[in-house]
Amino acid sequence: MIEDVFKAIPLGILLAFTIGPVFFVLLETSAIKGFRAAFSFDLGVVLGDIAFILIAYFSTNKILHKIKDDPSLFIFGGILLITYGVISFIKCKSDYKKDIRNAINQVVVKRNYMRLFFKGFLLNFINVGVLGFWLGIIIIFGPKLEMNDDRIFIFITTILITYLFIDCIKILLAKQLRNKLTPKRIFKIKRIISLILVLFGFVLVLQGFFPNEKQKIENVIQDIRKR
């Protein structure tokens, strides 16, 4: 069991530093809204991971590979991500004006933690690549763990706990910037994050329209690693 824990910790660290939409939004939420808001968002992300883990564990490999590589899912997820990014980009201006009014009137902004929780869940769940990650974990490490339910549970739980621990450190570091954030700087950060979300959405759509090109790139990367 201890060996399983030590094997899982590096994967949790890898997951925490995987660059994706969640990574940037987590840092933005921490810097702008504080630790509890970012942690609520992160718990929603973990729920999305748990949903994918259950799909990966209780479905057959054949069905999972079909879902993971279905181009329409990449296109659908990409469109959702682009839509979310565009709406966030447009909404930035009204939020900027609201932040200035709150600063002038010294209004204490209430945090809707439940909303942030569901935001984290949805933002993670529409990323098909996360399903691919957990599918790989189950396929690669499942046989090594003898497909023992208890060992797999401890292994995956350790990954998620490590992920949350590393994210808490990231949240605390990002929070240090909070005192330096003026409404104008917050406005710029939100716009940059919105554009990043749109970019990730376009990448997902392109993967859906050109699945063969994606496979060629993966093969080239694998060949480079073997050299």
Side-chain angles (χ1 to χ4, degrees), residues 38 59 65 84 88 102 114 137 146 164 167 179 202 219 227:
S59 300
H65 279 296
Y84 181 85
S88 298
N102 290 338
M114 189 58 66
I137 294 296
E146 301 173 343
L164 271 176
D167 267 9
N179 294 331
F202 272 117
N219 292 336
R227 292 176 185 174

Side-chain angles (χ1 to χ4, degrees), residues 6 44 80 94 98 140 149 158 173 215:
F6 283 120
L80 285 178
S94 61
K98 186 178 178 181
I140 294 170
D149 291 343
T158 302
L173 290 174
Q215 187 60 48

Side-chain angles (χ1 to χ4, degrees), residues 91-157:
K91 192 171 175 285
C92 283
K93 196 167 185 178
S94 61
D95 287 344
Y96 174 55
K97 293 177 180 178
K98 186 178 178 181
D99 289 339
I100 291 177
R101 286 197 302 269
N102 290 338
I104 293 172
N105 299 322
Q106 295 183 338
V107 176
V108 177
V109 180
K110 294 182 179 179
R111 315 298 184 200
N112 191 331
Y113 297 119
M114 189 58 66
R115 183 179 177 184
L116 287 165
F117 176 84
F118 283 111
K119 178 181 176 181
F121 172 78
L122 291 173
L123 197 58
N124 196 32
F125 197 72
I126 62 177
N127 189 351
V128 184
V130 180
L131 173 60
F133 174 84
W134 289 114
L135 171 62
I137 294 296
I138 297 296
I139 290 175
I140 294 170
F141 290 95
K144 294 180 181 179
L145 300 171
E146 301 173 343
M147 295 308 292
N148 182 290
D149 291 343
D150 292 335
R151 292 183 68 185
I152 291 174
F153 176 79
I154 291 172
F155 183 78
I156 290 177
T157 301

